[in-house]
Amino acid sequence: EAGVAQSPRYKIIEKRQSVAFWCNPISGHATLYWYQQILGQGPKLLIQFQNNGVVDDSQLPKDRFSAERLKGVDSTLKIQPAKLEDSAVYLCASSYLTTVNEQFFGPGTRLTVL
Amino acid sequence: AQSVAQPEDQVNVAEGNPLTVKCTYSVSGNPYLFWYVQYPNRGLQFLLKYITGDNLVKGSYGFEAEFNKSQTSFHLKKPSALVSDSALYFCAVRGNNNDMRFGAGTRLTVKP
């Protein structure tokens, strides 16, 4: 079974630039999550999709972050414009539909904002 | 909203000794609890979960966790630590709307 795929693995940008991350979940997983993990901290949920609908985006900084999951499969997370404090690893995860199922994580995208 | 606390930033144990990584939680309704491990430069890997049933849950790599409802705890344990267990461990709780909250993580170091 193929795992969660993310690209790019690394990205360096200047502040005020824009950046986009891509995630392809495990086939058949209805739920997709984006997390932000700042160095030394636990993952922080940014947004959760169930199929192509948003379940929870309460911690997403909506003035600069956006995400979409067209057709309920792949997802893109965008930051525009980026700030220095956005430097982090962005993790994508997917799971089956129910609350009892564990999440499977991708390798993450390490973003450095200079 | 649900939350998780991992009171220890760092746990050091000698190889062959038992290890415990602590986790306490706060959630309304039934708790769904998870442990994940993160090795350097790798994504998070699922270790085990508590949904319902036996309070002692067994997971991957010889790890187990004990659910204690009265103390709202879900401590991770292993009878005999290996050097290869050295990693970052995260406890997580899922609420009724399926959202997940992670703790800050505990760095486990197992010394030979």
Side-chain angles (χ1 to χ4, degrees):
Chain A
E1 179 181 78
V4 176
Q6 289 187 248
S7 67
R9 292 294 311 276
Y10 303 91
K11 190 73 177 179
I12 300 174
I13 61 173
E14 301 277 339
K15 60 182 179 183
R16 292 187 289 273
Q17 287 186 324
S18 62
V19 64
F21 313 126
W22 173 82
C23 173
N24 185 26
I26 292 173
S27 178
H29 282 190
T31 310
L32 185 147
Y33 312 78
W34 282 103
Y35 290 89
Q36 179 192 59
Q37 186 177 18
I38 294 173
L39 188 64
Q41 300 181 18
K44 171 188 168 184
L45 179 67
L46 293 176
I47 189 166
Q48 175 182 335
F49 293 95
Q50 189 164 298
N51 296 310
N52 60 352
V54 176
V55 173
D56 181 3
D57 62 358
S58 57
Q59 300 189 97
L60 185 74
K62 298 181 184 64
D63 57 334
R64 299 184 300 106
F65 286 64
S66 65
E68 60 183 11
R69 190 183 184 197
L70 301 176
K71 301 180 181 179
V73 181
D74 292 9
S75 178
T76 302
L77 176 69
K78 296 180 181 178
I79 307 175
Q80 182 178 9
K83 293 185 175 182
L84 297 177
E85 58 262 35
D86 298 332
S87 294
V89 175
Y90 290 85
L91 298 167
C92 180
S94 68
S95 71
Y96 287 109
L97 189 57
T98 65
T99 57
V100 302
N101 294 112
E102 62 270 23
Q103 297 176 12
F104 294 83
F105 283 81
T109 297
R110 182 176 298 277
L111 173 67
T112 301
V113 182
L114 302 176
Chain B
Q2 63 271 22
S3 64
V4 166
Q6 293 181 244
E8 301 159 317
D9 292 335
Q10 175 96 27
V11 170
N12 298 313
V13 298
E15 188 173 31
N17 283 359
L19 70 87
T20 298
V21 182
K22 296 179 180 178
C23 171
T24 59
Y25 67 90
S26 173
V27 65
S28 57
N30 294 324
Y32 302 117
L33 298 159
F34 302 79
W35 275 102
Y36 288 82
V37 59
Q38 188 173 38
Y39 297 101
N41 299 316
R42 295 175 65 178
L44 277 78
Q45 297 177 31
F46 168 74
L47 275 181
L48 51 78
K49 64 182 177 184
Y50 172 83
I51 305 301
T52 187
D54 288 342
N55 290 341
L56 186 63
V57 178
K58 294 189 182 297
S60 307
Y61 313 121
F63 283 93
E64 56 190 28
E66 186 171 9
F67 171 68
N68 188 316
K69 187 174 183 178
S70 62
Q71 298 185 5
T72 61
S73 67
F74 189 55
H75 300 332
L76 182 70
K77 300 181 179 183
K78 188 173 183 181
S80 179
L82 301 172
V83 172
S84 58
D85 293 330
S86 298
L88 198 52
Y89 290 81
F90 292 97
C91 182
V93 62
R94 178 175 280 167
N96 290 334
N97 63 346
N98 207 17
D99 61 326
M100 191 87 103
R101 294 292 183 266
F102 282 81
T106 298
R107 183 166 300 282
L108 172 67
T109 301
V110 181
K111 298 182 179 179

